[in-house]
Structures are given as structure tokens and as C-alpha cells.
């Protein structure tokens, strides 16, 4: 099985989670994603990450070695830096 590309990881996340903004970078084993979704409203950081893992399903165990992510609501995404 070949290593997934950042574009594939982006497609996997987008297919399972409604995103306002989604960026994925990586080298085939380690990935970093910035994910903005209204579905994160009212969720803790851990619950947000769990929601992304659910969107990825078994791929998280089988294809993706490591995924770091920044998960934001649309309001958090558009807020000026340093605002509460």
C-alpha cells in the first residue's frame, strides 16, 4: 500500500466532516491539518479531534502514521489574533 498524499487525507476528512476551511500538509507518514468546521461548536479539543478521527475511520490505523491538527470553529478562525 502506498503512502497517502496530503490531498488524499484532505479528501478523506472532507468526505466525513463538513469543513469551512481545510488544509493538509505532510510527507506521506506525518501530516498536519488545519480544520475549520461548524461541527466543532461547543466541543472540547479532544472531542473535536475524535470527530476528525471518526471521519478518517480505519485509515487512521492503517494508512496514516501521525496526524497533528488544529481544529477551529468558523468564529475562532475569523477572530483577530489574541482575542478571547
Amino acid at each position: 500500500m502506498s503512502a497517502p498524499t496530503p490531498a488524499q487525507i484532505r479528501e478523506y476528512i472532507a468526505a466525513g466532516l463538513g469543513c469551512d476551511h481545510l488544509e493538509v500538509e505532510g510527507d506521506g507518514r506525518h501530516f498536519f491539518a488545519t480544520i475549520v468546521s461548524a461541527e466543532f461548536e461547543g466541543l472540547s479539543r479532544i472531542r473535536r479531534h475524535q470527530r476528525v478521527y471518526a471521519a478518517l475511520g480505519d485509515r487512521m490505523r492503517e494508512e496514516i502514521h501521525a496526524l497533528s491538527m488544529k481544529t477551529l470553529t468558523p468564529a475562532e478562525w475569523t477572530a483577530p489574533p489574541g482575542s478571547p
Side-chain angles (χ1 to χ4, degrees), residues 14-74:
L17 180 68
C19 298
D20 290 17
H21 178 84
L22 177 57
E23 293 176 43
V24 179
E25 301 171 9
D27 62 8
R29 291 185 49 82
H30 300 90
F31 297 93
F32 178 79
T34 300
I35 307 161
V36 180
S37 176
E39 294 185 38
F40 296 148
E41 292 287 345
L43 297 180
S44 68
R45 187 174 75 151
I46 291 171
R47 297 291 293 156
R48 293 176 185 196
H49 288 203
Q50 289 171 336
R51 181 66 191 89
V52 175
Y53 294 143
L56 291 168
D58 290 338
R59 291 180 181 100
M60 200 58 216
R61 283 192 303 275
E62 298 169 4
E63 298 176 40
I64 304 166
H65 176 70
L67 174 65
S68 297
M69 61 187 112
K70 182 182 215 179
T71 53
L72 304 164
T73 65

